[in-house]
Amino acid sequence: MSADNARSSTDLGVDSTEQSILIGLSKVSLALKSQSWQDAGAHGVSPTQAQILALLQAKGSAGMRLSEVAAGLAVTAATASDAVRVLDLKGLVLKMRSAEDARAISIVLTPQGQKLAQRTSCWSDLLLGAVDELSEPEQTVFLGGLTKMIRKLQESGQIPIAKMCVTCRFFQPNIYPDGDKPHHCDFVNAPFGDRDLRIECPDQIAASTI
Ligand code: SF4
């Protein structure tokens, strides 16, 4: 390779640490994809259908509208509609009138869907063992970096809106001198630390919506 062609990652504006992080993330992503295909396939649903079951499980009895399901998975309404139709045929979800708005339809899990959602979410055990390898300070730093990355991707519209502390109306960052618990959550009216920053909190209300 000529000297001209032998451009380093630094020439491309990516330093070697950034490059290593990108490679590391792509390897984790591959492992997750592979595991989710295997697990979902073993239970007779596609990965998209398994993700919908997981979303509905997190939402509880309130269920979700089709548009929320599509936004939650960052897929088109047509893709979400197709996956929900198949889940409905399999008896894993039900469509019912929303308790909040009688004109709207909510999608909720059936008892059978609830059971399957629990089983197909076991793939997260794959990562749990790896995260356990990190010390508590390492986990705290990792969570901080992950939160920043998710926020950036969210702001540029590349991933669905995550219900994170850092974008929550109840979040008051760094208001206490206590290094372990400098933040405050108005929802539960309690201080908390970086280790407890949430990335998917059911009580979150986006600060921009007020
Ligand atoms: S309500 Fe949830 S997302 Fe909002 S600050 Fe409290 S813990 Fe964080």
Side-chain angles (χ1 to χ4, degrees):
M1 186 181 286
S2 74
D4 280 350
N5 288 335
R7 299 178 69 197
S8 70
S9 54
T10 307
D11 297 329
L12 297 170
V14 180
D15 73 24
S16 60
T17 306
E18 286 174 328
Q19 186 88 339
S20 298
I21 290 172
L22 296 181
I23 292 169
L25 284 176
S26 73
K27 287 191 183 301
V28 172
S29 160
L30 268 181
L32 287 177
K33 268 188 197 150
S34 156
Q35 189 69 30
S36 66
W37 271 105
Q38 281 174 29
D39 285 357
H43 291 106
V45 290
S46 72
T48 302
Q49 291 161 16
Q51 282 178 301
I52 292 174
L53 295 179
L55 273 183
L56 292 173
Q57 187 186 31
K59 199 70 182 177
S61 58
M64 297 175 81
R65 297 183 192 188
L66 188 62
S67 57
E68 292 174 319
V69 171
L73 295 186
V75 297
T76 63
T79 300
S81 170
D82 204 37
V84 167
R85 183 184 56 78
V86 176
L87 289 171
D88 192 9
L89 285 174
K90 290 179 177 175
L92 299 171
V93 301
L94 275 178
K95 292 178 187 169
M96 49 198 290
R97 294 263 165 229
S98 165
E100 293 159 3
D101 177 356
R103 292 164 304 174
I105 297 294
S106 252
I107 302 153
V108 294
L109 289 176
T110 62
Q112 197 186 344
Q114 190 77 38
K115 278 185 199 154
L116 190 54
Q118 277 158 9
R119 290 208 294 270
T120 54
S121 63
C122 289
W123 62 265
S124 58
D125 291 349
L126 173 83
L127 277 189
L128 203 54
V131 173
D132 268 351
E133 286 298 304
L134 301 177
S135 65
E136 285 199 2
E138 284 172 337
Q139 288 180 0
T140 305
V141 171
F142 187 62
L143 178 59
L146 205 53
T147 303
K148 268 191 183 174
M149 286 181 66
I150 292 172
R151 186 173 191 177
K152 180 72 187 168
L153 290 167
Q154 192 174 287
E155 282 169 0
S156 58
Q158 286 165 302
I159 60 168
I161 302 293
K163 295 169 86 63
M164 304 189 294
C165 287
V166 292
T167 52
C168 178
R169 64 175 287 186
F170 301 119
F171 183 53
Q172 295 192 50
N174 300 309
I175 61 165
Y176 300 117
D178 180 351
D180 284 340
K181 293 188 174 181
H183 317 306
H184 186 87
C185 169
D186 280 342
F187 186 80
V188 292
N189 194 23
F192 67 104
D194 287 343
R195 275 187 66 72
D196 298 313
L197 282 170
R198 306 279 299 271
I199 283 183
E200 196 60 55
C201 172
D203 304 315
Q204 197 254 27
I205 296 178
S208 58
T209 64
I210 54 175

